[in-house]
Amino acid sequence: MLDAALSSYGAQVVLATSSDENHPPENIIDGKTETFWISTGMFPQEFIIRFPDNMKIFTVSIQSYNIKRLRIEKGTSDDADKFETVADTEFEHTESSLQANDISVNVLNTTHLRFLILSGYDHFVSVHKVSVQS
Amino acid sequence: MVKLRARCVVVGDAAVGKSSLCQMFRSDGAVFQKNYSMNVGVELLEKSVSIPDTSDAVEFYIYDSAGREPFAEACENMWNQPSLMCVVFDITSEASFTSCSRWVDRVRSHCNGLQVPGVLVGNKSDLWSRREVDAAVAQSWAQSHGLEYHETSAKEIGQYEAPFLSLARAFLSLYQDQIQLIQSLA
């Protein structure tokens, strides 16, 4: 169980396709829902989280806003150049609250998770917190 | 400081000057095509603009789309989830102005219900002696369709930028509104 901030465990966001210096990608893994990373226009968008060790992950929890279609992939090599889809899902639209979703992924052994946001309910989507259960 | 990215679809009848406008904007006025060359697909141009009085910028991905059928129809596949639209007509052609509502509907059908800021551009304003479309009529039509009206002559320096700047401002304001909304929820 790693519901705490992923960053305190040594995880890092090693790639993000948008960056507003007021809302950096590190906000995704700081364990807080008040801080967020926001996409700055167009789809798809993606970010990659790298873990310090090989991970066994059963569920990914994500708090977000305005994400429609999301695909999660696991890295299949150490240098993160090959990925394999582990979940492909569509979130419900929420208006007055953040989206909170648990996605079962059943990953036995990986160091990287890649999140591909394929479409949204707005031009701009935000990700507030990602945590994993293993 | 933020750099936004916008997919901007440019549409309108054939030969109204879409490509001239886009090329002048992209090249900061260095390239004005004197000879007509018909687009049979989508030409993709990339150009960043800084928004005056802010430290922000918008990177445009301009989809300059063919105006003539059947090429226009083939272009629609490329318009998935546009961020902005630019509808162009020729002020010396009433027919090209009449077509605008069809172009707006066509782009809107790809917007998935999202609010997509847009401009209406009356081009070739240097040909005022052959004008067929009254500026006031165009202005009020644009307003009723939620578009901002601009009159340009793509060949004159200092005119081609205004429509894109107004799109950039509108997109930044959507972004700021969205951040405010998200902050109120989190």
Side-chain angles (χ1 to χ4, degrees):
Chain A
M1 185 74 179
L2 283 176
D3 193 41
L6 283 175
S7 57
S8 65
Y9 179 77
Q12 285 178 294
V13 180
V14 289
L15 178 144
T17 47
S18 280
S19 109
D20 178 334
E21 59 187 15
N22 294 320
H23 305 283
E26 298 78 62
N27 287 351
I28 295 171
I29 52 168
D30 66 1
K32 298 182 216 150
T33 55
E34 304 83 59
T35 62
F36 55 90
W37 167 78
I38 183 165
S39 72
T40 57
M42 304 203 346
F43 294 98
Q45 296 279 340
E46 70 170 88
F47 58 91
I48 297 176
I49 297 177
R50 181 172 71 201
F51 301 98
D53 298 305
N54 264 320
M55 297 280 290
K56 191 196 270 184
I57 302 168
F58 292 120
T59 310
V60 173
S61 301
I62 173 163
Q63 277 168 291
S64 57
Y65 194 60
N66 277 328
I67 291 181
K68 192 169 184 189
R69 208 168 136 225
L70 175 77
R71 184 152 75 212
I72 302 178
E73 300 178 344
K74 66 167 183 178
T76 55
S77 65
D78 284 344
D79 45 2
D81 59 351
K82 290 187 190 72
F83 289 88
E84 191 176 283
T85 303
V86 292
D88 196 327
T89 174
E90 195 165 311
F91 290 171
E92 301 266 330
H93 185 207
T94 58
E95 254 166 38
S96 51
S97 63
L98 298 180
Q99 298 166 309
N101 289 279
D102 293 331
I103 304 149
S104 97
V105 291
N106 291 322
V107 171
L108 292 178
N109 194 341
T110 194
T111 50
H112 293 81
L113 281 184
R114 178 193 202 190
F115 296 76
L116 268 158
I117 303 163
L118 300 167
S119 60
Y121 293 103
D122 190 85
H123 297 288
F124 311 108
V125 302
S126 58
V127 180
H128 297 248
K129 182 177 175 182
V130 170
S131 52
V132 299
Q133 280 94 51
S134 45
Chain B
M1 193 200 95
V2 64
K3 189 177 216 179
L4 302 179
R5 278 191 216 112
R7 174 176 289 143
C8 177
V9 174
V10 180
V11 293
D13 277 2
V16 297
K18 297 181 294 299
S19 300
S20 295
L21 189 70
C22 296
Q23 295 287 354
M24 285 289 271
F25 174 59
R26 205 267 319 257
S27 66
D28 290 318
V31 177
F32 179 73
Q33 284 178 289
K34 290 211 174 81
N35 297 313
Y36 179 59
S37 125
M38 184 174 75
N39 256 5
V40 294
V42 169
E43 180 149 19
L44 177 60
L45 307 168
E46 186 271 323
K47 166 82 177 169
S48 289
V49 276
S50 308
I51 303 174
D53 308 320
T54 71
S55 53
D56 304 321
V58 175
E59 188 170 42
F60 281 89
Y61 291 82
I62 300 172
Y63 287 63
D64 177 16
S65 303
R68 190 163 331 267
E69 301 298 347
F71 307 115
E73 211 178 309
C75 294
E76 288 197 34
N77 301 326
M78 311 274 295
W79 298 350
N80 193 26
Q81 299 195 62
S83 323
L84 300 166
M85 76 165 111
C86 175
V87 184
V88 188
F89 71 96
D90 170 355
I91 64 150
T92 71
S93 156
E94 176 78 40
S96 72
F97 176 61
T98 311
S99 298
C100 288
S101 77
R102 189 171 48 87
W103 287 113
V104 170
D105 290 347
R106 252 169 124 159
V107 177
R108 294 246 190 259
S109 72
H110 294 270
C111 294
N112 300 329
L114 256 64
Q115 188 194 344
V116 172
V119 289
L120 176 70
V121 178
N123 196 26
K124 309 195 190 177
S125 64
D126 52 304
L127 303 178
W128 51 271
S129 60
R130 283 161 45 197
R131 180 188 280 277
E132 285 184 8
V133 183
D134 191 57
V137 173
Q139 170 89 53
S140 81
W141 185 89
Q143 211 163 21
S144 68
H145 286 77
L147 307 173
E148 194 174 307
Y149 184 56
H150 288 269
E151 226 161 71
T152 58
S153 163
K155 71 198 265 281
E156 308 295 337
I157 295 288
Q159 292 201 4
Y160 49 82
E161 207 177 16
F164 294 101
L165 211 49
S166 118
L167 287 171
R169 283 204 181 90
F171 201 54
L172 178 66
S173 129
L174 281 185
Y175 179 71
Q176 288 166 338
D177 289 351
Q178 188 65 14
I179 286 187
Q180 240 176 12
L181 173 66
I182 293 170
Q183 275 167 339
S184 74
L185 296 177

